[in-house]
Amino acid sequence: MKAAAIARNTFREATRDRALTGVLVAGVALILATQALGALALGEESRLTVDLGLSAISGFGLLVIVLVGTSLVAKEIERRTIFNLLSRPIGRPAYLLGKWLGLSSALWVVVAVLGLVVWLMLEVRGHGGYGPAVAEAAYLAGLELTVVTGLAVLFSALSTPVLSTLYTVGFYCAGQWSWDLRDFAERAPGALGVTLRVAADLVPNLPIFNMRALAAHGQVTTPFHLGLATLYALVYCGCVLALAAAAFESRDFK
Amino acid sequence: MPDAPDHPPEALAIRTAGLSKSYRHNWTGRIVTGLDELNLEVRLGEVMGYLGPNGAGKTTTLKLLTGLLKPTRGDAWLMGVPIQQVSSRRRIGFLPEQPYFYEYLNGMEYLELAGQLSGLAGQEAHRQARGWLGRVGLGERPRLVLRKYSKGMLQRLGLAAALLHQPDVLILDEPMSGLDPFGRRDVRDLILEQRERGTTVLFSSHILPDVEILCDRVAIILGGRLTRVATVGQLVGASHQQVEIRCTVVPPFAPEPGLVGTVERRDRPHETSFLLHDDTRLGEMLAWLLRVGAQVRAVTPQRATLEELFLATAARADADAHADERRSA
């Protein structure tokens, strides 16, 4: 209940932030601009719309996390608004959970709006058949952003906004290359191989959320993949938030 | 082991036993003590003023009690519940020093959020928020965003947020700082109202006349150590009272040899006043005045103010500290 109140407030904070409005406007403008490139696409307009549209969802979602998420908790500590919250009967884990839920909800709104615009563009062009593929890919992109939001909350609770941005973007990039990292680990000798394997296990497995290539051809994925990706996102976020809560519990607010 | 409390624990709203807080400097590794072995008891329904100069440890104490800081040593209880437990904060209201608010919220939204976080259900939080916004004089524009509030309005909103779930214990950190006389009066009235309700209040303040008006007892903390806890009456009454005697027609005689050093004479165009530093010599003084033919017009006891006593306590503690340093050197 109290985590829900924090989540509602965080959602309100994110949606009243001009950054989110700017990102939404820029995202919609980019998707509309792809229509002007249709003539250059040599009959692949739909593929271009889906590919660029889904990339816009991931890219602009990440931008929201960088602009809002990486300073989510640090800003509250710096501005001392956290005094008014944590002096009430609310546990610190519930506070972090609320922050994560609130920003994730705002990101799901971004995903839904941009996903809807992509689908509308396709519908207008008479390619409504891409709908299910776009919906699935947008859902997975939303899960990916939810996972990255968890990392942003973790780093934001433990460091400054600048460092938090560096760590979050670093983990995002490493997460995108986690399969390559695993391949390197297989081939690297001794201690380096073990280190790389541990790193590959720690960073989020983000390729599991990427079905842009499939969606660009109008193909859907399996329910097993969707279920597995959902479960993975929930477990990964759970672990990250538990780590954040443990570290945040002993923190002093001077 | 903490000492046994002077009052049964159930009669205490706040109790600390050896509560201490130290900080380690990030770069030098030096340890700084913010609060040292605090043993404090605040009784149910009592209003206690918590006094001390800047950096004495007042805010540290209040933040430890409200869970914003973690104690290095010692224990504390709020309404009998250890402060380590989240539930200890269920029955308290807290106003931090210079409270900061979410600028994107309006007054109504902020109070609803505060109510929900203090355990009120949605509808009840809404009802209380509306009521309290009106009670602190902000009800006319409930949708005004907080970035447009003045400092006084924000302070009143902070107090409403601390009070809207009807806490049993109110902890206020410098609630009157930065307020104009009207704002101070409003805050003072709210605290008095809470006292009538039976709420226990612990508040730190620099504005000693307000403390004198509001408090049952005061605790004085200096350099992280509690130096004194007493009722305002005890503090003020224990001091030697001065007496002012105003007279007309006083011949220019020197006072009797026995009174020299305890009395100051001030001659003005139409009257002469004597300030007697020791009220136990009043009879002797009056007898002398009558003997020399003075016409006594008024005898006014002059109580030392809390401010004077506080400054004297601080000066004494400072002198003791210097003496200790000299001894250890």
Side-chain angles (χ1 to χ4, degrees), chain A residues 1-3 5-6 8-10 12-13 16 76 79-92 95 99 248-254, chain B residues 21 23 63 66-70 86 89-90 92 94 96 98-102 104-105 109-110 113-114 116-122 161-162 165:
Chain A
M1 149 99 186
K2 284 167 190 164
I6 297 280
R8 260 196 307 278
N9 190 51
T10 307
R12 213 152 31 188
E13 178 181 8
R16 289 180 188 180
E76 287 237 50
R79 294 185 182 172
R80 301 182 189 179
T81 47
I82 202 164
F83 291 1
N84 297 320
L85 305 184
L86 294 186
S87 58
R88 294 180 186 277
I90 173 169
R92 295 184 183 189
Y95 166 78
K99 286 296 208 189
F248 199 56
E249 193 60 42
S250 58
R251 199 164 170 181
D252 279 337
F253 302 109
K254 292 181 194 166
Chain B
K21 180 67 187 173
Y23 304 98
K63 282 187 178 174
T66 50
L68 296 171
L69 292 176
K70 303 285 175 184
V86 170
R89 303 195 284 277
R90 194 167 289 151
I92 67 162
F94 175 55
Q98 294 176 340
Y100 294 81
F101 300 93
Y102 298 110
Y104 54 85
L105 294 182
E109 288 171 338
Y110 180 74
L113 172 68
Q116 285 166 5
L117 292 181
S118 292
L120 300 182
H165 57 293

Side-chain angles (χ1 to χ4, degrees), chain B residues 155-220:
Chain B
Q155 194 79 349
R156 278 184 278 156
L157 185 78
L159 262 175
L163 287 166
L164 89 167
H165 57 293
Q166 301 189 327
D168 294 320
V169 180
L170 197 54
I171 298 176
L172 311 171
D173 194 359
E174 300 283 354
M176 284 126 180
S177 75
L179 293 181
D180 61 20
F182 298 107
R184 270 173 58 194
R185 185 197 57 199
D186 291 345
V187 172
R188 216 164 40 215
D189 289 348
L190 268 171
I191 295 175
L192 285 171
E193 195 182 297
Q194 289 305 306
R195 184 163 79 173
E196 294 295 307
R197 220 192 115 235
T199 308
T200 306
V201 184
L202 172 66
F203 78 101
S204 70
S205 181
H206 278 113
I207 302 169
L208 298 180
D210 289 335
V211 174
E212 207 167 343
I213 293 169
L214 293 169
C215 294
D216 300 312
R217 288 196 301 159
V218 294
I220 298 176

Side-chain angles (χ1 to χ4, degrees), chain B residues 7-324:
Chain B
H7 291 79
E10 64 273 16
L12 297 172
I14 301 172
R15 183 183 159 218
T16 72
L19 193 66
S20 306
K21 180 67 187 173
S22 307
Y23 304 98
R24 183 184 288 273
H25 193 278
N26 283 346
W27 298 102
T28 61
R30 209 176 123 238
I31 291 177
V32 179
T33 303
L35 190 67
D36 193 15
E37 298 287 331
L38 177 73
N39 295 302
L40 181 69
E41 291 176 356
V42 185
R43 295 165 207 148
L44 281 172
E46 176 176 47
V47 178
M48 178 176 268
Y50 199 42
L51 311 182
N54 289 336
K58 302 188 298 292
T59 298
T60 300
T61 307
L62 304 189
K63 282 187 178 174
L64 284 166
L65 291 175
T66 50
L68 296 171
L69 292 176
K70 303 285 175 184
T72 313
R73 283 189 316 279
D75 295 297
W77 296 263
L78 293 170
M79 302 297 287
V81 183
I83 55 166
Q84 286 81 5
Q85 293 179 18
V86 170
S87 59
S88 68
R89 303 195 284 277
R90 194 167 289 151
R91 291 160 74 185
I92 67 162
F94 175 55
L95 177 70
E97 186 182 8
Q98 294 176 340
Y100 294 81
F101 300 93
Y102 298 110
E103 292 188 336
Y104 54 85
L105 294 182
N106 61 46
M108 191 69 193
E109 288 171 338
Y110 180 74
L111 288 187
E112 280 176 358
L113 172 68
Q116 285 166 5
L117 292 181
S118 292
L120 300 182
Q123 280 300 314
E124 179 62 7
H126 178 79
R127 205 175 59 80
Q128 290 292 345
R130 184 171 288 282
W132 273 99
L133 213 53
R135 283 184 72 177
V136 296
L138 302 169
E140 281 182 15
R141 299 178 69 187
R143 303 289 165 196
L144 183 70
V145 287
L146 300 188
R147 75 171 70 91
K148 294 185 178 168
Y149 271 42
S150 69
K151 184 171 170 48
M153 289 163 80
L154 287 174
Q155 194 79 349
R156 278 184 278 156
L157 185 78
L159 262 175
L163 287 166
L164 89 167
H165 57 293
Q166 301 189 327
D168 294 320
V169 180
L170 197 54
I171 298 176
L172 311 171
D173 194 359
E174 300 283 354
M176 284 126 180
S177 75
L179 293 181
D180 61 20
F182 298 107
R184 270 173 58 194
R185 185 197 57 199
D186 291 345
V187 172
R188 216 164 40 215
D189 289 348
L190 268 171
I191 295 175
L192 285 171
E193 195 182 297
Q194 289 305 306
R195 184 163 79 173
E196 294 295 307
R197 220 192 115 235
T199 308
T200 306
V201 184
L202 172 66
F203 78 101
S204 70
S205 181
H206 278 113
I207 302 169
L208 298 180
D210 289 335
V211 174
E212 207 167 343
I213 293 169
L214 293 169
C215 294
D216 300 312
R217 288 196 301 159
V218 294
I220 298 176
I221 182 170
L222 296 164
R225 287 184 170 207
L226 188 68
T227 57
R228 200 161 180 194
V229 181
T231 63
V232 174
Q234 278 171 341
L235 274 179
V236 173
S239 65
H240 281 293
Q241 287 195 359
Q242 301 185 110
V243 183
E244 188 192 43
I245 306 160
R246 289 161 60 192
C247 314
T248 53
V249 197
V250 181
F253 295 131
E256 274 191 343
L259 289 167
V260 172
T262 58
V263 67
E264 278 174 51
R265 176 177 176 145
R266 292 172 194 156
D267 285 307
R268 298 196 186 93
H270 302 293
E271 76 171 19
T272 298
S273 70
F274 294 92
L275 189 64
L276 183 64
H277 295 298
D278 183 354
D279 60 347
T280 59
R281 315 284 298 273
L282 181 62
E284 204 180 325
M285 178 70 192
L286 287 175
W288 172 72
L289 285 170
L290 294 173
R291 230 178 11 252
V292 298
Q295 289 182 12
V296 177
R297 306 294 298 270
V299 177
T300 317
Q302 297 208 317
R303 241 178 35 153
T305 63
L306 189 58
E307 191 154 338
E308 287 161 345
L309 289 167
F310 172 68
L311 290 172
T313 307
R316 218 170 24 244
D318 206 29
D320 289 349
H322 278 97
D324 284 348

